[in-house]
Amino acid sequence: MPSTSPRVLAVIPPMTQLNTPYPSTAYLTGFLRSRGIEAQQVDLALALVLELFSPAGITQLHDTVLALPDAKRTPQTAWFAAEFSSIAAATPRAIAFLQGRDPTVAHRINTRAFLPEGKRFETLEAYVDEDGGDPLAWAFGALGLQDRARHLATLFLNDLADVLRDALDARFEFVRYAESLAAAQAHFDPLADALAAPPNLVDDTLRRLTLEALEQHEPDVVLLSVPFPGSVYAALRIAQTIKAARPEVVCVLGGGYVNTELRELAEPRLFDFVDYVTLDAGERPLLALLEHMSGKRSKTRLVRTFWRDGADVKYTNFVEPDIPFDDVGTPTWDGLPLDRYLSLLDMLNPMNRLWSDGRWNKLTVAHGCYWKKCSFCDVSLNYISRYEAASAEVLVDRIEAIVKETGQTGFHFVDEAAPPKALKALAEELIRRGVAISWWGNIRFEKTFTPELAQLLADSGCIAISGGLEVASDRLLKLMKKGVSIEQVARVTKAFSDAGVLVHAYLMYGFPTQTTQDTVDALEYVRQLFESGCIHSGFFHRFACTVHSPVGLNPAEYGVTLQPLPEGRFAKNDIAFIDPTPTDHDGLGQGLKKGLYNFMHGIGVDSDIRSWFPVRVPKTTVPRHFVERALTTTR
């Protein structure tokens, strides 16, 4: 590509993560630069939060709170008004502490007299022991000074977010910002109405930050990466600002949300804000689009791209091979303020904290999933179905380049399920070169992960792994084509645990045909896995059927009937279904989550499993020592 090719600015819109950059812009910026294209990146999600909680932002929020009519005042806004002087003084210190720039303030934060405490701190009362001792001692112990302070500072920021939500924008969240406007929305009307409404302080702040980024980088093309429904509204606010200020700038929308929910896009109003919408891996569509803008390619040769032609939405997919995974280049974080991210500690779940605490370099071991059979997963889509791995030599080259650039040796491998063969080769190459990193990622609990391989991965720097135990029922695991058994999961997780690796289990309830007995037995299996030291944390979530999953595509095979989707021209993803199995998943879900939470903290691990459920349930049918026997059985 000649030097006259369009200048590109890749944008992370609010809201994604605050502890580390979402990786999509790093991938695309690195790839485009490898092709000689001038590309920059900016994180407006982080910039927005830092601006809202800056001294000027806090003062503006205070003015807004004072102007609220009595009918709109809440306990949180009243707390903010009453404690404003202390809040204004403490907020810069709390931000600096969470950024790692002022670690010694942890001592003052831990006194519980430095940070004004709103309703978020009420959760700590549940942890006070009978003697009135330290409510966080169970979580952080006597020496957890920094962690304890980080949790308290995070609660303080959450209090401020609650005030902002009550006083300014009821949709505001640190992650799921205005999510309901975009998630599985068949119609564009909610987004259109919100974007047409008068801007509030959050909108005005985002507009100013957008204009500053335009002035600094002078782009010809802006890439808006929207991984989640909670980043769509803000992305379109950014695009709205760009179109008003510099209509000649081309705006392109892509990312995980687009790839799952907008595959049948027919809504022309979206193109009042953006010029193009691209699907799946962005490298090839972007090259084609940039060539089109340079006059080297017609619109009929665009790749996986939606665009508007008058009142109609067109989709063009000139078939070309995707860029090989070995050739996508090394992600770069150049241009992102790595020293300004906030290391939060919100949830005390040990695996969940890895998502929000610490600055992780996000990297992909392989594109797609090597298994691609699980019936709850979007296996029909490109990001799952197109599996392609890079060599260990290429991966370690990328790792070394990223460490050199960022100075950070922590890596989160963001694969749907990192393949064991690739991880083994990667571990051996890291050890051979003497590259010392810490890494974690997601795997399938398959038998290939022997104790020997688990130890090798630990020796290479693996600190944590997560994997799907899902429904914890051999019958349902077979129905969902998971390809694992509970005995196998027990052995694999114990192998990692014995190697000193933190093990997290993704768990599911409400899968088609799941009975009350299945659910009770699932919690018993989980209890035994904790009891035997196989897993350290877990999370139960309710099964959701998507139109791209095997359940959504072939519901009869799973004993369910799909509900008709509402007609519309915008998003399409989640789909309701009727399961004739008479199971109270709502009531059972409370028991699953309560039991799991206590098991993670070593409470009630030896109790009768029925005691956790708020509804009457049958006795478990799982043998008392099932997991213990599985661990002693010859593999």
Side-chain angles (χ1 to χ4, degrees):
M1 187 75 68
S3 59
T4 56
S5 64
R7 296 186 301 275
V8 178
L9 176 63
V11 177
I12 303 173
M15 299 297 291
T16 49
Q17 288 179 266
L18 296 178
N19 65 304
T20 197
Y22 194 78
S24 55
T25 64
Y27 294 162
L28 292 175
T29 302
F31 168 73
L32 292 172
R33 290 183 182 181
S34 75
R35 296 301 177 104
I37 298 168
E38 186 177 343
Q40 304 294 333
Q41 58 189 325
V42 63
D43 188 342
L44 292 186
L46 176 67
L48 176 64
V49 169
L50 293 181
E51 191 66 20
L52 290 171
F53 295 153
S54 68
I58 289 291
T59 299
Q60 287 179 295
L61 179 57
H62 183 236
D63 292 341
T64 303
V65 167
L66 293 182
L68 287 174
D70 290 342
K72 291 191 175 182
R73 294 181 183 272
T74 67
Q76 277 296 86
T77 59
W79 163 79
F80 181 81
E83 299 282 350
F84 175 69
S85 295
S86 298
I87 290 171
T91 301
R93 298 273 58 84
I95 294 288
F97 170 71
L98 291 171
Q99 290 174 328
R101 295 187 292 111
D102 191 7
T104 57
V105 80
H107 295 275
R108 294 204 63 191
I109 290 174
N110 284 333
T111 65
R112 300 285 300 277
F114 181 68
L115 298 178
E117 298 185 358
K119 70 175 183 180
R120 292 288 185 143
F121 286 80
E122 293 174 3
T123 59
L124 299 182
E125 301 307 315
Y127 307 134
V128 175
D129 60 36
E130 295 179 357
D131 299 323
D134 183 356
L136 290 178
W138 66 271
F140 301 115
L143 300 178
L145 173 75
Q146 293 291 320
D147 279 354
R148 189 192 312 255
R150 189 173 295 116
H151 183 55
L152 294 171
T154 301
L155 293 177
F156 175 67
L157 282 197
N158 287 337
D159 268 329
L160 296 184
D162 290 344
V163 174
L164 195 153
R165 187 161 48 252
D166 289 353
L168 276 173
D169 190 341
R171 305 161 305 195
F172 185 82
E173 296 276 355
F174 280 144
V175 176
R176 296 181 172 88
Y177 181 29
E179 182 180 63
S180 63
L181 297 178
Q185 278 284 0
H187 301 285
F188 191 67
D189 292 352
L191 273 169
D193 293 343
L195 292 164
N200 57 36
L201 175 61
V202 179
D203 298 322
D204 285 337
T205 303
L206 183 57
R207 176 181 179 277
R208 177 164 52 80
L209 293 169
T210 301
L211 293 175
E212 290 174 0
L214 288 177
E215 183 175 355
Q216 178 183 354
H217 297 290
E218 294 287 342
D220 301 303
V221 181
V222 171
L223 309 179
L224 295 164
S225 178
V226 288
F228 315 117
S231 53
V232 176
Y233 168 75
L236 295 184
R237 275 292 191 188
I238 293 169
Q240 186 181 52
T241 297
I242 294 171
K243 287 304 174 190
R246 300 192 183 183
E248 73 280 3
V249 174
V250 172
C251 293
V252 185
L253 192 70
Y257 168 81
V258 172
N259 298 338
T260 54
E261 302 215 18
L262 300 188
R263 303 196 73 86
E264 298 178 27
L265 178 64
E267 175 54 75
R269 289 179 292 172
L270 177 61
F271 296 89
D272 293 338
F273 303 90
V274 300
D275 299 280
Y276 299 97
V277 177
T278 65
L279 293 180
D280 301 325
E283 290 87 358
R284 179 60 73 190
L286 287 177
L287 286 184
L289 180 57
L290 295 175
E291 288 180 2
H292 167 65
M293 292 180 62
S294 300
K296 297 179 179 181
R297 179 186 290 243
S298 68
K299 274 192 174 179
T300 60
R301 297 181 67 240
L302 293 176
V303 178
R304 297 196 299 271
T305 301
F306 291 100
W307 51 283
R308 184 168 63 183
D309 183 13
D312 299 323
V313 176
K314 304 287 188 181
Y315 178 68
T316 303
N317 185 17
F318 184 79
V319 179
E320 292 185 17
D322 274 300
I323 305 298
F325 190 62
D326 265 348
D327 298 335
V328 296
T330 300
T332 178
W333 282 264
D334 178 50
L336 297 177
L338 299 184
D339 60 340
R340 301 190 72 204
Y341 285 87
L342 303 170
S343 191
L344 304 176
L345 183 45
D346 192 353
M347 299 181 67
L348 301 182
N349 179 309
M351 176 59 80
N352 285 62
R353 71 169 292 181
L354 289 178
W355 285 93
S356 61
D357 184 14
R359 232 286 298 149
W360 299 97
N361 299 309
K362 294 180 182 286
L363 191 64
T364 307
V365 173
H367 182 281
C369 178
Y370 69 100
W371 179 251
K372 54 190 174 188
K373 294 179 183 179
C374 298
S375 56
F376 55 83
C377 191
D378 291 339
V379 295
S380 64
L381 299 185
N382 177 276
Y383 82 98
I384 297 290
S385 63
R386 182 171 69 85
Y387 174 70
E388 188 179 357
S391 68
E393 292 76 14
V394 167
L395 287 173
V396 178
D397 286 346
R398 291 174 182 172
I399 287 170
E400 289 188 307
I402 291 168
V403 171
K404 182 178 181 180
E405 176 186 278
T406 66
Q408 302 285 335
T409 59
F411 283 80
H412 174 198
F413 297 143
V414 294
D415 302 69
E416 296 297 315
K421 182 178 179 180
L423 287 179
K424 181 176 186 292
L426 173 62
E428 291 172 341
E429 185 67 10
L430 286 168
I431 293 170
R432 186 184 72 80
R433 294 196 200 182
V435 177
I437 65 170
S438 302
W439 64 267
W440 58 288
N442 197 49
I443 65 168
R444 292 180 61 251
F445 293 135
E446 62 167 76
K447 61 184 178 182
T448 310
F449 288 106
T450 61
E452 293 75 21
L453 179 53
Q455 187 61 57
L456 175 68
L457 298 183
D459 292 342
S460 76
C462 178
I463 60 168
I465 55 100
S466 57
L469 175 55
E470 316 307 351
V471 288
S473 158
D474 281 332
R475 177 184 73 84
L476 292 174
L477 286 170
K478 185 176 181 180
L479 178 63
M480 63 172 51
K481 300 180 177 66
K482 185 68 184 177
V484 300
S485 67
I486 296 172
E487 284 192 359
Q488 182 179 309
V489 168
R491 294 174 188 138
V492 171
T493 53
K494 191 66 164 70
F496 277 102
S497 179
D498 287 348
V501 176
L502 174 70
V503 182
H504 175 86
Y506 288 113
L507 298 155
M508 180 188 300
Y509 68 100
F511 192 76
T513 74
Q514 185 172 6
T515 65
T516 299
Q517 187 68 64
D518 290 329
T519 308
V520 171
D521 289 350
L523 190 57
E524 172 61 17
Y525 283 124
V526 170
R527 186 197 67 77
Q528 291 189 27
L529 289 170
F530 274 100
E531 185 179 48
S532 296
C534 296
I535 61 177
H536 306 95
S537 74
F539 185 79
F540 269 108
H541 67 92
R542 180 75 174 265
F543 168 75
C545 181
T546 68
V547 295
H548 310 294
S549 68
V551 177
L553 294 170
N554 304 292
E557 293 183 15
Y558 301 90
V560 298
T561 304
L562 301 183
Q563 299 276 57
L565 281 168
E567 293 186 8
R569 299 189 292 182
F570 192 54
K572 179 181 178 182
N573 190 39
D574 291 356
I575 183 167
F577 62 95
I578 299 173
D579 183 351
T581 309
T583 307
D584 176 15
H585 294 301
D586 291 333
L588 294 172
Q590 296 177 42
L592 292 174
K593 294 173 182 178
K594 183 177 180 181
L596 179 60
Y597 181 84
N598 281 276
F599 297 159
M600 284 192 293
H601 299 122
I603 300 171
V605 179
D606 57 354
S607 63
D608 186 323
I609 211 68
R610 291 173 291 182
S611 64
W612 301 111
F613 293 95
V615 295
R616 187 176 181 84
V617 296
K619 183 179 180 180
T620 182
T621 63
V622 178
R624 177 64 182 83
H625 300 289
F626 178 90
V627 168
E628 183 182 335
R629 284 198 295 269
L631 296 176
T632 58
T633 302
T634 303
R635 293 170 177 79

